[in-house]
């Protein structure tokens, strides 16, 4: 990083998250005579001085440092993607960020980096996103995983442990954990936190001791269900290793995706807070509904709600009309899906149960629609699933995040869902 960049970084540290979301990665536009960030779709760039290019490529191969000067080839770097990486690093409070073609490509790169250093063992806490769980369990990348609960992390670490991985709030149960305590248990082993559900609006894991922060950028960072991507926020040393793996394996983020993700970051705080307020209200109503057995909603807040029904969850999926029955999350429209059938189907039934993923569980990603319209749709779908008439009314709780997940009045057991 040159002196001008360092001065710019120092100058913006006191900015609010909302301001950073709008301006990070764009500070040079006015000097360039531009207002919107440019989209660079080039796959290759002129290299008139081949000796100088050889020296730059040698430096990248040795260090993984971002190339100074003009780009060389799109698999090495892209100016549009670099803007998104800079912006996301700033929002997460990290030194750097490296973007990939998907969240799974990003996680794969992290695992490959650690395995290349002889550190193939991973300690992980369930539940995780289903494909993350599968990647670790299958050993497809030569890794070995030990599953444990947060209290068992320190005892599970071995000399060849390269990573501790957690997701909080977790997918799909929204279980939370104390990141400060988890980071302390990791000792010198890097802690990777999947921050997809919380986003830097609600949680910045680096501030709690995490060294690596993973996002499926497809979700809230993009925010509109029209872009696929992944990104890792981390220290510069880790970023250099990740860039070399990205170059070697080719899991690059397309420039158009980088452009859309940078644009998505600008509205991320506004979207997350509006969606979270609606989600909290829906969680309250679901918790009071006798057709619902249990509601999971994190104390951190957020736009995700999971709930278990007494009736047939598949009939709820089939019964919605306004809400979209689809996998994924984080879009401006509300989505609902059955994790045991789709997002976590790839995990064995016993392991799903270990992670708290029951056959009755539904996961809902709350969008920007009006809360009353969403509730009307949910009410009708729940009625169809339970064989009762729809039309539950009388819910007027104030909006706001922070509702603790709890069982509905029909459930007599003392145990509370979630945390």
């Amino acid at each position: 990083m040159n002196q001008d960049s360092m001065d710019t970084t120092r100058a913006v540290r006191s900015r609010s998250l909302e301001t950073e979301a709008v301006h990070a990665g764009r500070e040079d536009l006015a000097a360039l005579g531009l207002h919107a960030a440019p989209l660079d779709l080039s796959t290759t760039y002129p290299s008139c001085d081949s000796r100088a290019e050889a020296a730059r490529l040698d430096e990248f191969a040795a260090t993984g440092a971002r190339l100074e000067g003009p780009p060389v080839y799109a698999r090495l770097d892209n100016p549009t993607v670099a803007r998104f990486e800079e912006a996301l690093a700033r929002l997460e409070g990290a030194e750097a960020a490296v973007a990939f073609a998907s969240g799974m490509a990003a996680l794969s790169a992290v695992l490959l980096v650690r395995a290349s250093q002889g550190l193939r063992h991973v300690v992980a806490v369930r539940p995780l996103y289903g494909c993350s769980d599968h990647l670790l369990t299958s050993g497809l990348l030569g890794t070995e995983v030990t599953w444990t609960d947060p209290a068992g992390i320190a005892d599970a670490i071995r000399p060849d442990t390269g990573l501790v991985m957690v997701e909080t709030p977790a997918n799909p149960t929204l279980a939370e954990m104390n990141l400060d305590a988890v980071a302390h248990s990791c000792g010198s082993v890097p802690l990777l936190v999947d921050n997809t559900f919380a986003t830097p609006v609600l949680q910045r894991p680096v501030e709690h001791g995490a060294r690596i922060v993973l996002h499926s950028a497809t979700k809230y960072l993009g925010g509109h269900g029209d872009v696929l991507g992944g990104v890792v926020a981390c220290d510069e040393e880790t970023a250099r290793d990740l860039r070399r793996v990205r170059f070697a394996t080719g899991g690059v983020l397309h420039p158009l995706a980088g452009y859309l993700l940078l644009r998505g970051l600008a509205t991320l705080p506004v979207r997350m807070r509006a969606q979270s307020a609606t989600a909290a209200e829906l969680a309250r109503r679901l918790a009071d509904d006798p057709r619902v057995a249990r509601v999971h909603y994190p104390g951190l807040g957020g736009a995700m709600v999971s709930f278990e029904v007494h009736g047939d969850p598949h009939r709820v999926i089939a019964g919605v009309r306004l809400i979209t029955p689809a996998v994924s999350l984080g879009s401006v429209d509300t989505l609902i899906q059955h994790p045991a059938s789709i997002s976590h189907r790839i995990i064995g039934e016993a392991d799903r149960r270990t992670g708290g993923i029951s056959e009755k569980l539904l996961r809902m990603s709350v969008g920007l629609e009006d809360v009353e319209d969403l509730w009307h749709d949910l009410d009708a779908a729940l009625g169809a699933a339970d064989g009762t008439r729809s039309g539950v009314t009388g819910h007027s709780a104030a909006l706001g995040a922070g509702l603790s997940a709890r069982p509905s009045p029909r459930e007599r057991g003392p145990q509370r869902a979630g945390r």
Side-chain angles (χ1 to χ4, degrees):
M1 180 180 293
N2 59 37
Q3 187 62 45
D4 290 341
S5 298
M6 292 174 63
D7 291 342
T8 300
T9 301
R10 283 195 292 267
V12 301
R13 286 198 189 281
S14 62
R15 290 178 178 173
S16 70
L17 182 78
E18 290 81 0
T19 301
E20 283 284 70
V22 172
H23 289 279
R26 302 172 178 86
E27 281 90 357
D28 63 330
L29 294 183
L32 295 173
L34 300 172
H35 181 234
L39 171 57
D40 188 333
L41 293 171
S42 298
T43 57
T44 191
Y45 299 84
S47 298
C48 299
D49 188 343
S50 56
R51 290 188 179 88
E53 291 297 75
R56 290 206 301 157
L57 290 174
D58 286 347
E59 181 181 359
F60 176 82
T63 68
R66 175 165 280 148
L67 296 178
E68 294 290 338
V72 177
Y73 186 59
R75 189 153 46 84
L76 267 167
D77 204 2
N78 173 270
T80 305
V81 172
R83 290 179 181 277
F84 164 65
E85 291 172 331
E86 178 187 348
L88 191 278
R90 293 249 292 272
L91 292 182
E92 282 288 4
E95 290 181 351
V98 184
F100 294 86
S102 70
M104 291 308 301
L107 176 57
S108 297
V110 174
L111 295 175
L112 288 172
V113 164
R114 302 305 287 167
S116 71
Q117 298 165 355
L119 302 170
R120 298 180 177 275
H121 181 241
V122 178
V123 175
V125 178
R126 280 190 172 119
L128 297 174
Y129 168 52
C131 288
S132 299
D133 187 310
H134 174 67
L135 183 63
L136 294 176
T137 303
S138 66
L140 284 170
L141 298 180
T143 55
E144 178 188 350
V145 62
T146 297
W147 296 101
T148 185
D149 57 28
I153 288 174
D155 290 337
I157 290 174
R158 309 185 323 208
D160 63 338
T161 302
L163 199 68
V164 174
M165 182 173 180
V166 302
E167 182 176 6
T168 180
N171 185 354
T173 65
L174 305 180
E176 298 174 274
M177 63 188 71
N178 184 325
L179 286 180
D180 292 301
V182 170
H184 178 74
S185 297
C186 292
S188 61
V189 177
L191 170 62
L192 181 154
V193 176
D194 187 330
N195 203 33
T196 299
F197 277 18
T199 81
V201 176
L202 300 178
Q203 173 177 271
R204 305 216 303 178
V206 171
E207 296 175 352
H208 299 279
R211 278 185 51 189
I212 303 169
V213 181
L214 174 71
H215 284 273
S216 172
T218 307
K219 312 306 193 294
Y220 289 106
L221 304 189
H224 292 76
D226 57 5
V227 58
L228 195 70
V231 64
V232 177
C234 54
D235 56 90
E236 176 60 23
E237 179 182 357
T238 301
R240 292 183 176 203
D241 291 332
L242 290 170
R243 292 185 195 113
R244 289 192 288 177
V245 167
R246 182 178 63 182
F247 174 70
T249 59
V252 296
L253 184 71
H254 191 275
L256 178 56
Y259 176 88
L260 292 172
L261 290 171
L262 180 66
R263 188 175 67 169
L265 290 183
T267 60
L268 175 63
V270 177
R271 286 186 284 106
M272 277 300 295
R273 287 176 178 139
Q275 290 167 277
S276 296
T278 302
E281 172 66 2
L282 291 176
R284 288 190 184 92
R285 297 187 186 194
L286 289 166
D288 290 337
D289 195 304
R291 298 166 296 184
V292 177
R294 185 168 293 224
V295 174
H296 306 260
Y297 187 71
L300 184 69
M304 300 298 299
V305 181
S306 292
F307 58 99
E308 299 168 48
V309 296
H310 288 293
D312 184 351
H314 301 285
R315 293 188 68 181
V316 177
I317 296 292
V320 294
R321 295 294 179 265
L322 175 65
I323 298 168
T324 302
V327 74
S328 198
L329 56 110
S331 183
V332 291
D333 60 319
T334 300
L335 309 177
I336 193 169
Q337 65 109 0
H338 183 245
S341 296
I342 305 182
S343 64
H344 291 71
R345 186 65 180 179
I346 200 167
I347 304 172
E349 184 178 355
D351 290 335
R352 288 201 300 269
R353 286 198 300 268
T354 299
I357 305 167
S358 77
E359 293 296 321
K360 294 284 191 175
L361 183 71
L362 294 168
R363 190 194 74 186
M364 184 168 59
S365 168
V366 178
L368 291 172
E369 302 95 337
D370 180 79
V371 66
E372 299 301 334
D373 292 331
L374 290 172
W375 179 247
H376 179 78
D377 196 38
L378 269 179
D379 178 24
L382 287 167
D386 206 46
T388 61
R389 294 177 59 189
S390 64
V392 176
T393 59
H395 301 272
S396 58
L399 298 180
L403 174 72
S404 296
R406 62 178 183 264
S408 74
R410 181 183 291 189
E411 183 170 331
R412 299 181 182 275
Q415 183 179 5
R416 294 170 65 87
R419 295 188 179 185

